Amino acid sequence: MANGGPVQHGYPHLETVRAAITALYRRLSYDTVQTFSTSLAPADAAFCDTDDLHLGAQRVAREIVRHFRLPDARLIVGFREMTHAAHVELAAGPEYFVELNDRFRTHRRDIGAALAHEVAHVYLHRLDLSFPSTPDNEVLTDTVTAYLGAGWLLLDAFREDAVSSQKLGYLTPEEFGYVLAKRALLFHEDPSVWFTSPQAYDAYVKGMAQARRDEQQPPLTGAGWAGRRRYAHDRRHAPSAPPEAPYAFTPDPTGQLRVTFPCPTCHQRIRVPVKGRVRARCGLCRTVLECDT
């Protein structure tokens, strides 16, 4: 939890975020991801200063548990002094003990954001989905929270001005915006209408621009002129391609050239023949892609 200190910006965890989206699809399947097409409603996470602290926290926790389809999970929420925003004990269940930073006693509007991250930890624990290192696992948790419809709360908790700052979660604001934009493009929703933080809106706009760029990489037909020209040059020199290129060329057993590139939705690698206009369907997320190979 950044509290008054410098907030990291940009996309330092972008490749891990993309790997997290791929891992989520592989573990859940396309059909299960589709059941999360409706985001957590702002009213479900609303917390007024006049609400009882403990009863209100338990109410919000129940709503987030319901959103993550964990009907038999019960969160017991407490408060104590700590460095991090929150902590959850990942026991066998069905009861899970969540501790929130004492700061939330007086910053109640962000309790939902802290609980969303911790409930996502429980959800991933039950799925048995994790990354090897603790930092990457936290990126996975933030990504899943946002992609499955509760993470807009985490971005909305980001506030920054000339003298103070607050940010929850391990992703940068722009990375949260990127994941929320990927979700918005998938489900045709606009989470920006729920933001109360102007800085959150700005980060979402930047994240959407980055997400759009995923759809504009060759060999996709949405690639711009410069990208298509670079791709044509690399194709002439295939199978070699610059290491920074999003695509790679390889010959198949018959000698025909094929190109592999990431699906702009789930980032699984797709392999298609190099033969001009091709329509491909991602086997993981079922996105239909128009390509000019």
Side-chain angles (χ1 to χ4, degrees):
M1 176 172 63
N3 180 17
V7 173
Q8 186 178 27
H9 289 275
Y11 302 93
H13 314 105
L14 188 58
E15 290 310 309
T16 307
V17 167
R18 289 168 171 166
I21 294 173
T22 306
L24 181 65
Y25 271 97
R26 287 176 177 164
R27 184 65 183 86
L28 288 188
S29 81
Y30 164 84
D31 291 328
T32 304
V33 170
Q34 289 294 312
T35 66
F36 288 89
S37 59
T38 302
S39 287
L40 182 73
D44 292 336
F47 206 124
C48 299
D49 289 339
T50 56
D51 290 344
D52 180 272
L53 177 64
H54 293 279
L55 292 179
Q58 293 293 157
R59 173 185 58 80
V60 173
R62 284 195 301 271
E63 291 297 335
I64 298 173
V65 165
R66 178 195 57 78
H67 176 78
F68 276 98
R69 320 303 200 259
L70 297 170
D72 62 332
R74 297 190 300 273
L75 263 66
I76 300 172
V77 183
F79 297 81
R80 71 173 176 88
E81 290 187 10
M82 65 174 80
T83 302
H84 297 292
H87 175 74
V88 61
E89 290 290 339
L90 294 176
E95 290 186 340
Y96 297 89
F97 294 89
V98 176
E99 295 176 312
L100 299 182
N101 192 300
D102 262 340
R103 185 172 187 271
F104 292 114
R105 291 179 181 273
T106 55
H107 292 76
R108 300 182 181 185
R109 62 186 287 191
D110 298 320
I111 284 177
L115 288 173
H117 179 91
E118 301 311 315
V119 174
H121 267 305
V122 174
Y123 183 71
L124 291 171
H125 175 68
R126 290 194 168 192
L127 286 177
D128 194 26
L129 176 59
S130 63
F131 281 174
S133 72
T134 297
D136 286 354
N137 205 49
E138 293 294 351
V139 170
L140 170 67
T141 304
D142 275 344
T143 302
V144 169
T145 310
Y147 203 79
L148 296 186
W152 66 268
L153 291 166
L154 284 159
L155 180 54
D156 195 40
F158 166 53
R159 289 180 284 278
E160 187 175 41
D161 57 36
V163 296
S164 65
S165 63
Q166 174 186 277
K167 186 187 77 70
L168 302 183
Y170 291 76
L171 299 184
T172 68
E174 293 78 14
E175 288 168 339
F176 269 121
Y178 172 79
V179 181
L180 291 172
K182 302 288 276 189
R183 173 184 167 81
L185 294 172
L186 177 67
F187 293 120
H188 309 289
E189 72 175 8
D190 181 11
S192 65
V193 298
W194 304 322
F195 294 145
T196 61
S197 163
Q199 293 80 25
Y201 179 83
D202 291 343
Y204 175 70
V205 170
K206 293 175 181 176
M208 177 61 80
Q210 181 66 42
R212 290 287 189 189
R213 282 193 283 274
D214 290 348
E215 301 176 335
Q216 298 165 353
Q217 297 296 322
L220 299 172
T221 56
W225 176 83
R228 293 197 303 270
R229 183 177 181 184
R230 185 181 69 248
Y231 178 83
H233 172 272
D234 294 340
R235 183 177 56 198
R236 286 194 301 270
H237 295 84
S240 62
E244 69 275 8
Y247 46 81
F249 298 100
T250 55
D252 66 14
T254 67
Q256 183 181 11
L257 198 63
R258 291 180 175 267
V259 60
T260 61
F261 60 95
C263 169
T265 299
C266 70
H267 299 285
Q268 175 174 259
R269 300 293 292 188
I270 295 174
R271 190 166 181 253
V272 297
V274 176
K275 60 176 185 180
R277 288 273 179 165
V278 175
R279 175 174 289 179
R281 184 184 182 93
C282 178
L284 189 58
C285 69
R286 303 185 187 178
T287 303
V288 177
L289 304 170
E290 299 290 341
C291 310
D292 188 356
T293 62

